[in-house]
Amino acid sequence: MEKKKKINLQNITFCIPIRIESPYRMHNLETLLKYLDQSFETNYIVLEADNKPHFKKTTDIQNLSYVFVKDEDIIFHRTKYINQMIHLAHTPHAAIWDTDAIAPVGQIEKAYTSLHNGENTIIYPFSGIFIALNELVSLHFHKSLDINYISLSHLPCSFFYGFYSVGGAYMINIDKYLKAGGENEYFYGWGPEDAERNARIQILEFGVERIEGVLYHLYHTRGINSRDSNQDNVTNNKKEFCKICGMSKLELCEYIKTWKWNKRI
């Protein structure tokens, strides 16, 4: 049988920040990489930040860079590590991808094409519906990598954040995104950083687009980095979100100038 030709996505880097706190996370990461690799000719950066490395780089995935950062902090500073990956990417675009997020191939290709040919800063490869799959359905997908199976309407699932999720996966024009501040590192640990990012780009009028379709979330257990950690973090993160949302375009531009991390290396 003739091998299927992969879709060329060479001008984008899939950036996957990880903290592997359970076997589910490891399994989901391996599944995501295999799923993407079977359809796309592209680039990957996997950045693991932990007290010791857990991910073992597979030789089957081409153009995969693995970065380990020793980090003794129990809280995973996701925004900081996403910024590091953006600076490491050697492509004009980046796809910031959760370990557990799966999008249909056609939606990813459409999002990439629109980003590459258009003027928007962020493109979400789904319309806003983020479907949480249960453990059994996720296990089947791990084995089959068949997106048609998990898209069946009768399968048990639930929605993440209603009909307008802004988390899980998004693609960026790197230069434009950095001009918009990059990731806001004042968000520490789990919190509303996805909503802040979307709000900030729209306040700045930098351009946001969505691709029709859904995003799927593979099952995993939830630890300290998948929920509110402590009250101080929760309060600080929510204050930062409200602060951004209350700013005018001019105020936000001036505020971003104070962000020391927003410099291209």
Side-chain angles (χ1 to χ4, degrees):
M1 181 181 295
E2 185 178 351
K3 191 174 182 180
K4 181 181 176 182
K5 186 177 180 180
K6 295 183 181 181
I7 301 167
N8 186 344
L9 267 59
Q10 287 287 1
N11 284 324
I12 199 166
T13 301
F14 283 81
C15 298
I16 308 169
I18 58 171
R19 171 67 63 88
I20 301 175
E21 72 276 62
S22 73
Y24 291 100
R25 289 286 199 189
M26 179 71 80
H27 205 182
N28 288 352
L29 174 59
E30 292 170 347
T31 299
L32 171 64
L33 290 171
K34 290 177 183 177
Y35 172 74
L36 294 172
D37 183 62
Q38 71 179 1
S39 296
F40 301 114
E41 191 73 36
T42 190
N43 313 280
Y44 307 91
I45 297 174
V46 173
L47 187 151
E48 180 179 11
D50 209 338
N51 58 359
K52 62 180 180 180
H54 299 278
F55 176 65
K56 294 181 179 179
K57 179 180 175 181
T58 173
T59 56
D60 296 334
I61 308 296
Q62 297 296 314
N63 301 320
L64 170 61
S65 297
Y66 169 67
V67 179
F68 173 72
V69 179
K70 188 171 181 59
D71 186 351
E72 300 286 352
D73 192 347
I74 191 172
I75 301 297
F76 184 50
H77 197 163
R78 178 180 173 83
T79 52
K80 180 176 75 173
Y81 292 123
I82 291 175
N83 275 338
Q84 289 188 19
M85 286 188 290
I86 291 172
H87 290 309
L88 290 171
H90 297 295
T91 53
H93 311 304
I96 315 302
W97 221 267
D98 282 4
T99 314
D100 319 291
I102 301 293
V105 168
Q107 291 171 214
I108 296 174
E109 185 179 14
K110 285 180 182 178
Y112 170 83
T113 300
S114 183
L115 182 66
H116 191 61
N117 296 334
E119 298 182 355
N120 287 313
T121 300
I122 290 184
I123 295 185
Y124 296 95
F126 69 115
S127 60
I129 298 177
F130 196 2
I131 296 179
L133 305 174
N134 69 13
E135 186 173 6
L136 185 61
V137 175
S138 297
L139 181 61
H140 187 282
F141 183 74
H142 290 315
K143 296 177 179 178
S144 68
L145 301 179
D146 183 4
I147 195 73
N148 293 317
Y149 175 81
I150 61 176
S151 65
L152 295 177
S153 60
H154 67 271
L155 294 177
C157 62
S158 59
F159 289 173
F160 270 145
Y161 315 117
F163 292 90
Y164 198 72
S165 173
V166 286
Y170 57 99
M171 295 181 177
I172 61 171
N173 176 299
I174 291 178
D175 285 337
K176 292 178 182 178
Y177 190 57
L178 290 177
K179 290 176 183 176
E183 293 290 296
N184 184 343
E185 293 185 20
Y186 288 130
F187 286 95
Y188 172 67
W190 193 83
E193 73 275 8
D194 291 324
E196 180 274 341
R197 179 188 309 113
N198 183 66
R200 173 163 38 98
I201 297 301
Q202 294 193 60
I203 292 171
L204 293 171
E205 300 176 347
F206 270 34
V208 176
E209 182 183 347
R210 283 191 177 276
I211 300 300
E212 188 64 30
V214 303
L215 187 68
Y216 299 98
H217 184 277
L218 299 174
Y219 176 84
H220 63 84
T221 53
R222 292 193 168 271
I224 193 171
N225 289 297
S226 302
R227 52 180 168 78
D228 289 335
S229 51
N230 62 61
Q231 193 56 51
D232 286 341
N233 285 352
V234 171
T235 301
N236 290 336
N237 286 340
K238 289 182 178 179
K239 281 183 178 179
E240 181 67 14
F241 177 51
C242 292
K243 179 179 178 179
I244 295 289
C245 291
M247 287 183 171
S248 67
K249 179 179 178 180
L250 179 59
E251 289 171 334
L252 186 50
C253 287
E254 291 302 312
Y255 181 46
I256 288 171
K257 290 178 183 177
T258 69
W259 293 359
K260 296 179 181 180
W261 60 80
N262 186 31
K263 295 178 181 178
R264 191 77 187 254
I265 297 173

